[in-house]
Amino acid sequence: MNRIAHMPSHDVLIIGAGLAGQRAALAAANAGASVAIISKVHPVRSHSVAAAGGINAALNPEDSWESHAFDTVKGSDYLGDQDAIEIMCREAPDELLYLEHIGVTFHRSPDGHLGTRAFGGASAARTYYVADITGQAILHVLYEQLMKHHEQLDRYEEWFTTDLLQDEDGRCTGAICRNLRDGRLEVFNAKAVILASGGAGQAFKPTTNGLIVTGDGIAQAYRIGATLMDMEMVQYHPTTLAGNGFLITEGARGEGAWLLNAQGERFMERYAPNKMELASRDVVSRAEQTEINEGRGFPDGTVFLDVTKVPRKRTLEALREIVNIGRDFAGVDITREPIKIRPGMHYIMGGVKTDSDGLTTIPGLYAAGEVACVSVHGGNRLGANSLLDTLIFGRRSGEHAAAQAKAMPMPTTPAATVADVQASIDAIINREPGGRRVAAIKDELGTTMNQYCAVFRDAEGLATGYEIVRRLKQEAPKASIDDHGTVFNQDVIGAIELGYMLDVAETILVAAMERKESRGAQYRTDFPARNDDEWLKHIDISANGADEPKVDYSPVTITRWEPQERTY
Ligand SMILES: Cc1cc2nc3c(=O)[nH]c(=O)nc-3n(C[C@H](O)[C@H](O)[C@H](O)COP(=O)(O)OP(=O)(O)OC[C@H]3O[C@@H](n4cnc5c(N)ncnc54)[C@H](O)[C@@H]3O)c2cc1C
């Protein structure tokens, strides 16, 4: 039986220590708040570490934030909220310079200026980068900065948040967390809680996302009544390795790589004659999948990415990680021969609905980063806009939460809630042997989502996917685990995460069935056109206390860019 310890109390509790969480923590600490930051892995192992290609900002004098904003709006297929997009793009240059000043070693050209590379859907080369390890470079520098604030900032590394807490008025007052080292449960009270717990890629198989990206925050917020938005919008990245789903960064096409079908044709000429390989990701992924479906790909369902078009010296300097990935995981020297790739699940545009200060529909609860939906990405995220999103809205959430906390008393938590969580964990540990394995259910979930809710969708497939997910939701609570101990019991965590992924998958399918048009990443073969008259609106999903998600709508904010036909 686990022990329930004392209750740490902080002005601001941040769940997640990727780029969004760390940036929020710095902002809140700088504003004078006491802060706790929690992560289920060591912070620099957060999935932001995998970000490769770079971060967007209209910093060059000949570029403008308006151009960046328009590209983002167009990339979103007009589903992004333009007030939030304006904020993100306007604040991007200062954020980039802040990162530079605190020590991020962005690439510089021989004349000493910050260097840029082109990215998809952008009308100017405005992606700043550190070779192809940009996320790692930023994450480590932010982590150094957190150390400076050790007197007011407590780090809880390898702690797993199981549930968010609410008082009788519905205000979020903290979270319950399990110390992975010894299985101890602890209640964290806070005046404000910021969810920064990342995306949900593991609900799909394959995915470019690591094993820890299991939709925890999205499901936790949904379970206490928060509204989710744009859940149907799941991004398939055009260049992932078949089988394992590893990402070949868009930076490769930014540096000049071509896409070729099995007949050697540069097929993007047919789909995006102006932008070619650097059209938006949804457009390029659909083009590839069309080539594959119509028999012009390779028999293993792939096409070629030809990085040999990039000078070898440049590839070895600016794309060295994907040189390693090609060699180690596909046996291909990308500097000398093309590599087989295909569209693969990469990013979830939807998430916990927030305003531009990170506030969710639950008082006291904020969300920032991939867990959130502001919505700056709408139907399709532009490459290199996610790191920017994490930092801008992480910072804004941290600042806002710190300011709110100043005027509030510290809440307390009813003991019964903790006992409930303890009982549910004990129930997992004590499940009868037999039933399906957690891993088997997860595997079926991932392959189901990848089959029925991928680049092309239709009503029949989505309904089939939904039925399967509903069945898996029945099976999951019976899946037994082997490890009954308390020390780093990843079996228990895996069982809890499976529940989160199933909730997230269910909301994605419900939203995808609901949107009867094609927009951004949602391409319905049964409704192939975009239909602004009926569907220029967000789909909001919430738990209705009943068994199935409830669907609502909310308007898209349009400030200055009326919807147009979208061509590249
Ligand atoms: C391979 C790859 C390459 C990418 N490249 C780029 C790029 O070049 N440019 C770009 O803009 N975007 C890129 N992206 C997207 C971008 O990296 C992510 O969207 C972004 O880093 C997410 O950051 P985050 O802070 O929201 O979440 P994460 O970095 O995923 O952090 C989540 C945090 O939450 C914690 N957490 C989760 N659940 C719990 C729980 N239950 N209890 C406690 N802690 C929890 C985790 O431990 C972690 O600390 C890439 C993505 C991938 C997968």
Side-chain angles (χ1 to χ4, degrees):
M1 178 58 70
N2 297 321
R3 188 165 58 85
I4 297 164
H6 74 288
M7 298 186 183
S9 297
H10 296 83
D11 292 333
V12 181
L13 169 66
I14 297 167
I15 301 168
L19 287 179
Q22 292 201 29
R23 189 67 187 86
L26 272 181
N30 276 327
S34 66
V35 178
I37 183 164
I38 290 181
S39 172
K40 65 181 175 180
V41 295
H42 187 280
V44 297
R45 297 187 64 217
S46 301
H47 204 57
S48 293
V49 80
I55 174 168
N56 287 334
L59 190 59
N60 282 332
E62 59 277 14
D63 199 359
S64 70
W65 74 261
E66 289 93 339
S67 164
H68 183 190
F70 172 69
D71 290 344
T72 303
V73 169
K74 179 177 170 185
S76 81
D77 218 346
Y78 295 88
L79 190 67
D81 283 324
Q82 297 181 11
D83 51 349
I85 291 173
E86 287 194 19
I87 288 171
M88 181 176 82
C89 298
R90 214 189 258 132
E91 295 183 2
D94 281 349
E95 188 65 27
L96 194 97
L97 291 177
Y98 166 75
L99 295 174
E100 227 272 329
H101 292 168
I102 61 173
V104 179
T105 53
F106 285 112
H107 180 86
R108 284 180 181 267
S109 57
D111 63 4
H113 286 97
L114 287 173
T116 53
R117 60 168 49 125
F119 248 57
S123 50
R126 63 169 74 95
T127 302
Y128 294 84
Y129 60 96
V130 182
D132 51 357
I133 56 160
T134 311
Q136 180 182 338
I138 302 175
L139 198 61
H140 280 256
V141 168
L142 287 185
Y143 192 63
E144 285 164 18
Q145 297 295 312
L146 290 191
M147 301 298 165
K148 277 193 190 167
H149 293 280
H150 61 91
E151 281 176 4
Q152 66 191 102
L153 195 153
D154 295 326
R155 289 175 287 114
Y156 292 86
E157 297 169 356
E158 299 180 322
W159 282 74
F160 182 88
T161 300
T162 62
D163 292 83
L164 298 173
L165 295 168
Q166 277 175 301
D167 66 15
E168 314 77 69
D169 301 326
R171 184 178 179 86
C172 184
T173 56
I176 301 187
C177 305
R178 178 178 164 97
N179 184 346
L180 294 178
R181 282 170 216 193
D182 59 11
R184 178 165 49 100
L185 275 189
E186 199 149 327
V187 172
F188 287 73
N189 286 317
K191 298 177 187 175
V193 177
I194 302 178
L195 268 180
S197 39
Q202 283 290 319
F204 289 71
K205 187 180 176 187
T207 171
T208 62
N209 292 196
L211 288 170
I212 56 173
V213 188
T214 47
D216 307 14
I218 300 176
Q220 288 161 1
Y222 172 70
R223 288 177 186 181
I224 65 162
T227 301
L228 310 182
M229 191 164 83
D230 298 347
M231 289 302 289
E232 69 279 22
M233 298 303 180
V234 176
Q235 180 163 81
Y236 272 64
H237 192 290
T239 56
T240 70
L241 294 187
N244 58 33
F246 285 7
L247 181 78
I248 304 291
T249 174
E250 188 164 304
R253 282 170 290 137
E255 297 288 343
W258 288 9
L259 289 167
L260 303 170
N261 64 18
Q263 292 148 20
E265 291 170 322
R266 199 177 173 196
F267 57 85
M268 284 311 297
E269 281 167 0
R270 282 197 284 280
Y271 303 91
N274 298 318
K275 298 297 285 183
M276 300 291 284
E277 283 83 1
L278 288 177
S280 276
R281 289 179 175 173
D282 57 331
V283 173
V284 182
S285 285
R286 264 195 302 279
E288 287 176 5
Q289 198 61 54
T290 304
E291 293 295 302
I292 294 162
N293 292 353
E294 294 180 357
R296 292 184 295 278
F298 294 101
D300 59 356
T302 57
V303 290
F304 267 155
L305 175 72
D306 188 356
V307 189
T308 67
K309 302 292 174 208
V310 184
R312 187 160 189 271
K313 183 167 175 292
R314 177 70 183 155
T315 302
L316 292 173
E317 171 196 84
L319 298 168
R320 56 186 184 234
E321 274 309 306
I322 60 164
V323 172
N324 294 339
I325 288 175
R327 187 194 55 222
D328 296 345
F329 296 99
V332 171
D333 177 354
I334 62 165
T335 68
R336 300 193 189 280
E337 55 184 321
I339 187 166
K340 284 180 169 178
I341 49 84
R342 68 177 185 191
M345 191 282 170
H346 181 57
Y347 182 86
I348 167 158
M349 273 73 75
V352 184
K353 180 179 177 131
T354 73
D355 69 11
S356 52
D357 288 315
L359 275 165
T360 71
T361 53
I362 302 285
L365 181 66
Y366 295 73
E370 198 168 335
V371 70
C373 178
V374 187
S375 129
V376 282
H377 310 302
N380 170 70
R381 169 175 75 87
L382 292 189
N385 261 357
S386 172
L387 295 189
L388 183 61
D389 166 15
T390 64
L391 295 163
I392 299 291
F393 295 103
R395 172 174 53 73
R396 292 176 68 92
S397 302
E399 284 167 355
H400 199 276
Q404 291 293 105
K406 275 195 181 129
M408 281 184 56
M410 188 62 71
T412 51
T413 300
T417 325
V418 188
D420 288 349
V421 174
Q422 184 64 64
S424 71
I425 291 181
D426 290 344
I428 295 174
I429 292 176
N430 297 325
R431 278 177 195 164
E432 293 294 319
R436 292 183 78 191
R437 314 279 305 169
V438 169
I441 298 174
K442 183 183 167 207
D443 199 69
E444 189 178 354
L445 169 67
T447 46
T448 298
M449 294 302 283
N450 199 37
Q451 182 171 358
Y452 298 113
C453 200
V455 175
F456 293 114
R457 307 165 173 185
D458 62 26
E460 197 185 332
L462 291 169
T464 307
Y466 185 70
E467 273 171 37
I468 296 172
V469 169
R470 295 287 295 176
R471 169 171 55 74
L472 297 178
K473 284 189 84 164
Q474 303 291 320
E475 293 173 4
K478 293 177 226 137
S480 63
I481 62 170
D482 297 326
D483 186 350
H484 296 192
T486 50
V487 179
F488 281 106
N489 187 337
Q490 293 296 340
D491 264 11
V492 171
I493 300 304
I496 299 172
E497 288 172 341
L498 177 63
Y500 298 144
M501 286 183 280
L502 286 164
D503 279 2
V504 172
E506 184 180 24
T507 62
I508 290 173
L509 288 163
V510 166
M513 287 190 283
E514 182 68 15
R515 184 173 289 283
K516 295 175 184 63
E517 64 153 358
S518 292
R519 180 186 301 272
Q522 156 101 342
Y523 192 95
R524 291 278 302 252
T525 52
D526 44 354
F527 297 98
R530 194 176 88 192
N531 178 351
D532 288 337
D533 290 340
E534 288 178 70
W535 289 103
L536 184 60
K537 56 190 176 189
H538 296 290
I539 294 176
D540 292 350
I541 302 278
S542 54
N544 58 0
D547 189 33
E548 291 183 17
K550 172 170 174 270
V551 175
D552 282 302
Y553 305 110
S554 55
V556 174
T557 306
I558 294 185
T559 55
R560 57 171 101 182
W561 296 285
E562 289 299 326
Q564 301 168 12
E565 194 194 346
R566 185 163 164 259
T567 53
Y568 285 99

